[in-house]
Amino acid sequence: MIDRYEIYCLADPLFYDTLDNQRTKYPDFPIASKDVPVGWQHRATDTWLHYGPEDLSLPLQGWKIHISARLDDAEKTLATVWDYCVGRRLSFKFLRGPRVVMMLNSKYAERGSSGKLVTIYPADEAELELVLKELDELLHGVRGPYILSDLRYGDGPLYVRYGGFAERYCLTGNRERVLAIADADGALVPDRRGPSFSPPSFVTLPDFLKPHLEARNAVTFAGRPYEIEKVLHFSNGGGVYKARDTRTGRAVVLKEARPHAGLDAAGRDAVARLGHEADILRRLEGLDVVPALYDYFTLGEHHFLVQEFIDGTTLSQESVHRHPLTRATLTPEDAAEYTEWALDMLARVDRAVTALHGRGVVFGDLHPFNVLVEDDRVVLIDFEVASLAENKARPTLAHPGFCPPSDRVGIAADRYALACMRLNLFAPMSTVLIPLQRAKVIHLAELVRDTFPVPHAFVEEAVRTILGGDPGHAAPASSTAQEAPAPEPPASAAPTGTTPARTASPAHDLNAMSRLPMPGRASWTSVRQAARRAILASVTPERDDRLFPGDAAQFQPGGGLNLANGAAGVLYALAETGAGRFPEYEAWLRERAMAPKPGTGLGFYDGLHGVAYAFEALGRRQDALELVTLCLRERWEQLGQSLYAGLSGMGLNLLHLGETTGDRELTATALQIVDMVAARLGAVDSVAEVSGGGNPHAGLMRGSSGPALLFLRAYETTGDTALLEHADVALRQDLRRCTRRSDGQLQVQQSWRTNPYLDEGSAGIGVVLARYLAHRDDEDFRQALSDIGPVATLDYYVQSGLFAGRAGMIAALTLGLRPGVDRDSPEVAGQIARLGWHAMPYGGGLAFPGNQLLRLSMDLATGTAGVLLALGAVLHDRPVTVPLISPSGTPAGAVDPTSTGRR
């Protein structure tokens, strides 16, 4: 799970959100209600409360002081800091409330910055030394998490780090925008905040801090009989390392726990959980299904557990490697072979968990990442939230897809997780969807039975366990009249802009699921109207940060406005597919886009150029031109190369607007950008191959295929064949980042996995290859396109979204990704029908989960609007355009928009 997604899940049960909109439920610290001192300024964000004298001029960067405190010491610490800083006219900020402290100190919080409660900004090094000395005395006895990015002052809660006081930004080598400080020559460089104290090379550590650095460096593994060989995992609670026992040569695992860090829902820190895990492992000693406990010790303030090293792979990795739905073809023999393996694995896991129960232990955190497979041995790992069966406890820190509802405690909690695993091994996304809508299990079970030869009773038992009752009387989704539109929400439904509480009965949820107009079964108009209802039921015009709930990225500056995750993308998709125009929501967008918040991007999918594109598509040409003019006043030349956020997207948008408006200046600026992108492109070997480093991104949105698309579009405008040469180089750069799988598919290599998707995968590269081949034949490119094509007709994708899911594959097929496959092909019909794997009810309509599948999303890139747009590209009665990606004409191999078969 991506760390930031877990944090954005804390505020709301259905949508990614911040705590800023939950103040009544999660109030600020009481000191936040104090009057702002006379002559002071005050600013609030969703995380911090800032205070400072109005007439105080601080440097742009310098040594800052951080104060760490556990929740029990927080209010006392804040009272002391308030009096001290106000009395001495020191600018400072502090976290808003207990919920924010818990969030930023949780196990999945960012390691480097976790632990900070207060930040103080001294004017110079003399003031830094004085403040540290005085606060060290005032805060004696306060305890808190170690702030890994900082240098600790003494043994108390004070830490220091050199960094920016003001928000300034620069571009990295990959041309990504990050917070910056000025180096010795005045040039802006990244303000790095990693999980270790590492001041910039151009900064000298003050003499009075050198003894504290020496004390920090004195804590080492010297004298311990363990030699660390590699890191296996990091979390905010500590690290997990593979090591060697120097006395025996035996491979071991060291689990580290940091005091007061890595909090769980019960407020326990990593040290408390690690000590508990050691106790559990002692109780389970002798069982072959758990790792043996060898040692437990402390080093500095950190605790370490030493256990047996299991030389195996996780059940999750093993199932991904074997799963037949990720292959280009699925035969009955493949499905049968996988089913036999999965049933055997599940039986062995069941026996392992039952063995724990025989010792009176509940595992509490069962999921495929916590099961290791070593030859014929299955081993359960990570017992930090295990409990005694007699206590009938509920897990306090479990995988969200396997965490039981509140009515399952003790052994029943493990049985619930086992039931989830029965579905998960066949439909890996299933257990993440179930917490959003438990009744979804009925539909998922039906899909599993239709795809694999799994015994009916085996699946039905899992369904009964998950639902907590007998689902036999519920009608499966396929048995209802799918042409009937879903009912409007009843009068008692939550008002527009609020999130309905998850209190509906299983029977109500089952009824809502059964009445969904599923893609591929119901008519296009029914599906479109259902998606429209869900989107409009989620709208929050009273909010300033976002109009429609989407991906967590919308909480970055301007993220609630943009094309990928914000209002512009949703309004565009609704209008483009014939689902309607909404002038009041367009006005909401215009008001905020014309006065963007600092940090708002200029790019196409991440920023204001995409909003301008949406305005033009919505018939608001003057707004589009005004917004583009605003963008051109900024320092856009510093943008990166990408289609998503950089010059390629900007150039494509200006070419588009130049053509639609006839404004030659826009076209001229676009061609200037084309020249800039070409000058920065480099040669084919300027990017690393799949095994190399460098730019981590390939593909359409952030790789070289975005510039290739810009060159092709410029060629279509100018006829300059040199642009085809540039496109050739860019495409070959991306193909260097691809690998051929055993089944022949060509996918982008990303670390241990491969990526087939539209944004950073091979499907996006293939769409641009098809566009290139419409202008110039190339044998290598034809072969590459042929090898990429099958990625869009797989039976299984983890997500349903446009950028990184099944909807993107549907769109790619309409753009010529697989020659010979068009909108009337059975492959496209199959992909549309399989959107049902992710379909969910919301607001009387049809919705889809976003990235990570932990919450619903309505946005274009990850959620319902993107699915709607992809369906419209196949089913709508006029051509539907994927912004900037769909060609203005119909290249060879693409779908003819005049073809029949619209439904």
Side-chain angles (χ1 to χ4, degrees), residues 224 271 296-304:
R224 293 287 176 181
V271 169
Y296 191 98
F297 65 91
T298 59
L299 181 63
E301 296 181 351
H302 292 206
H303 289 228
F304 290 86

Side-chain angles (χ1 to χ4, degrees), residues 704-843:
S704 296
S705 292
L709 187 61
L710 173 64
F711 297 139
L712 291 171
R713 182 67 182 85
Y715 165 73
E716 292 163 359
T717 299
T718 67
D720 182 357
T721 56
L723 294 166
L724 290 179
E725 302 300 331
H726 293 319
D728 180 286
V729 171
L731 285 167
R732 293 183 193 278
Q733 287 180 344
D734 263 359
L735 289 173
R736 282 171 58 85
R737 307 294 297 277
C738 293
T739 186
R740 197 175 310 281
R741 291 164 36 118
S742 59
D743 59 1
Q745 294 179 57
L746 199 62
Q747 295 193 16
V748 171
Q749 184 72 53
Q750 288 183 323
S751 184
W752 60 271
R753 66 177 185 177
T754 59
N755 188 329
Y757 295 117
L758 189 64
D759 59 350
E760 296 187 36
S762 55
I765 300 172
V767 165
V768 185
L769 283 171
R771 183 86 165 258
Y772 180 96
L773 290 168
H775 299 294
R776 176 185 285 178
D777 191 31
D778 183 284
E779 184 177 351
D780 291 342
F781 285 175
R782 275 191 285 110
Q783 184 60 53
L785 181 60
S786 176
D787 294 339
I788 290 172
V791 306
T793 53
L794 302 179
D795 288 301
Y796 175 76
Y797 301 100
V798 175
Q799 300 176 152
S800 55
L802 183 65
F803 280 16
R806 192 181 302 275
M809 298 308 189
I810 294 170
L813 289 173
T814 71
L815 295 171
L817 182 65
R818 194 160 190 182
V821 174
D822 61 23
R823 68 181 64 212
D824 296 317
S825 298
E827 292 90 343
V828 174
Q831 294 294 31
I832 290 174
R834 283 188 285 272
L835 283 169
W837 285 64
H838 292 86
M840 307 283 279
Y842 178 78

